[in-house]
Structure formats: structure tokens, C-alpha cells
Amino acid sequence: MSATIIDGKLISAQIKDELKEKTAVLKAKGIEVTLAVVLVGEDPASQVYVRNKKKACEYVGFKSLSYELPAETSQEELLKLIDELNGRDDVDGILVQMPLPSHINEKAVIDAIDPSKDVDGFHPMNVGALCIGEEGFVSCTPAGVIQLLKRGCEGNISIAGKECVIVGRSNIVGKPMALLMLRENATVTVAHSKTANLKEVCKRADILIAAVGKASMITADYVKEGAIVIDVGINRNADGKLCGDVAYDEVKEIASAITPVPGGVGPMTIAMLMNNCYEAAVRKAQEK
Ligand code: GUN
């Protein structure tokens, strides 16, 4: 039997609609949510991402401030802008689109963002908070995967006690994903390019999360019958077609549930960014 498709487009739309309602309630209390979006250079993919983030802000009722800086912008100039945005009471969230031009140190930029405005959840303070179970901002893509698991399959997926294998150990996806699944009481394995017997390790998974960045690498022989398969990858195959890390057509015949690419994890990232911005504004208002 073919797997149930977990529809990220639909679930992200639900989350954005919920946020739209909650944002209207805040607005009625005189609180406006504002996201500052910073783009350095003219990378076409980044331009698309930034445009979509600004569109999502408009949809849910946030104000977005846009800073589109030339590729030659110095690190000092960028840090000065971040400092200014950190100090502005009317800015709730700051997003600096990655990757940055090679003359700018990404870590220095991430570290400069006020953790209470770090809606990407990249600052070491927020990563540390996630690690020890304190309140903070969680990286949007792994947070989106949790929502897909909680809301997909009519809310019938249980995570607690399940074997979860995550393939990939990046700071943005693999590592925070492991911490989030642990928080949900899964038994978590993080596999990576050096893992021995990767196929066998993946085959243990009740929930298999692929975040490797290799087109269609997870074939049917990596997947246990009835597993839930989440595909974080966004790659182009030899024909230039968008595809995930999972060989979708064959894996969907074995899995019990699966996310497609596109239309799975992708749209969730922006929805969770909107959620983090909303939370930033609410937390700021509570401090006053
Ligand atoms: N570049 C690719 N994904 C992301 C993301 O989630 N946040 C930022 N700031 N840049 C990115």
C-alpha cells in the first residue's frame, strides 16, 4: 500500500492562518510584529527566499523591513546595521539571509544578533537553550518537521518511544532536529557520512529524517516497512528537476507516511519563521 502523504503546503497554510488570527488580536492591543530582513549580495536563490519571507509577513499581518545591501558590504557595515536593529524597540526579529559573501564571517554575524531577536534560532544562546530545555528560538526547519509529525496523518503519529534516525548533522538541521526529537521522547540516532552500515542503521528507524543534501540517496533498501519518512533535502537531479534526499517513488511504496519535495518540509520553514517572530513580539510585550 502506498504511503500517506504529509502535506507541508497545507499544514504551513494552517499555521500561517492561525498566526494571522493571533496577530490581529495583538494588533488590537496595539502590538505590531516587525521582522527585519537583511540580504547581502544578489544570490538568486537567496533573493527568492527573502521575497517569500516578506510575502509571508504581509500575509500574516507583520510589518517587514527590508535591507538589501550590495555584495561589497563590509563585515563592519553589516555588524553596524545589526547593532542598530538590536537597539530598535520597533524591531522584533532580525533575519540575515545566509549564505553571506565569503569576506563576511557568518559566525560573527550570527553572534552579533540579540538572542531575543534571533528568529532563525542560530545564536549559540538559543542553541544552548534548546540543548538544556529552556525557552528560546528553535531553528525553523527542524521546528517545522516537528509540526509535520504532530499535525500530519490527522494527528495520529506518536513520537514518544519511537526509534528516530536522523541522517545529517548540520548545525541548522541535524543537530537541533536530534534535540527536538529527544524532547519529544524519541530514541534518537544521528547518522552521517562516516556512519558504518548506514543502510542497516536507517532500517532501524520508525521515523527516518533525511537531511544530507544528496539527491535521492535514501532508496527503498534504507527504509523499514511502515516507517515514517521525512525528507528535508532540496536538490536538483541530473535533469535539473527539484528532488529531495529520498527516492520518493520507491520509498512511498514501503513507508506508512512520507513528505514530498517540493511541498513537504520546505513551506514549513517560513511558517515557523513567522511563528518565531510572533513569539519574539509576545515575549517582548510581556517584559514591559
Ligand atoms: N539560508 C538558507 N536557509 C536559511 C535560513 O533558514 N535562514 C537564514 N537566515 N538563511 C538561510
Side-chain angles (χ1 to χ4, degrees), residues 32-51:
E32 183 158 61
V33 186
T34 303
L35 173 66
V37 181
V38 182
L39 172 64
V40 185
E42 280 155 20
D43 176 58
S46 290
Q47 285 173 329
V48 173
Y49 287 135
V50 162
R51 199 179 326 130

Side-chain angles (χ1 to χ4, degrees), residues 49 53 95-99 120 122 269:
Y49 287 135
K53 287 170 187 178
L95 180 133
V96 181
Q97 185 65 29
M98 306 291 172
D120 261 323
F122 292 169
T269 300

Side-chain angles (χ1 to χ4, degrees), residues 150-228:
K150 290 196 167 174
R151 294 172 183 243
C153 297
E154 294 169 359
N156 287 323
I157 297 171
S158 63
I159 305 176
K162 295 284 165 64
E163 288 279 349
C164 173
V165 176
I166 298 157
V167 193
R169 54 174 159 178
S170 70
N171 289 339
I172 292 179
V173 182
K175 286 180 202 162
M177 192 74 252
L179 292 165
L180 285 173
M181 290 303 278
L182 202 53
R183 192 156 91 179
E184 298 296 331
N185 299 309
T187 302
V188 180
T189 302
V190 183
H192 47 80
S193 54
K194 302 281 193 297
T195 297
N197 305 319
L198 181 62
K199 241 178 230 182
E200 284 68 35
V201 172
C202 289
K203 256 196 142 122
R204 293 208 300 256
D206 302 310
I207 302 173
L208 180 61
I209 302 176
V212 258
K214 272 198 187 157
S216 307
M217 180 200 146
I218 304 293
T219 44
D221 47 343
Y222 286 69
V223 180
K224 178 166 81 176
E225 182 92 36
I228 295 160

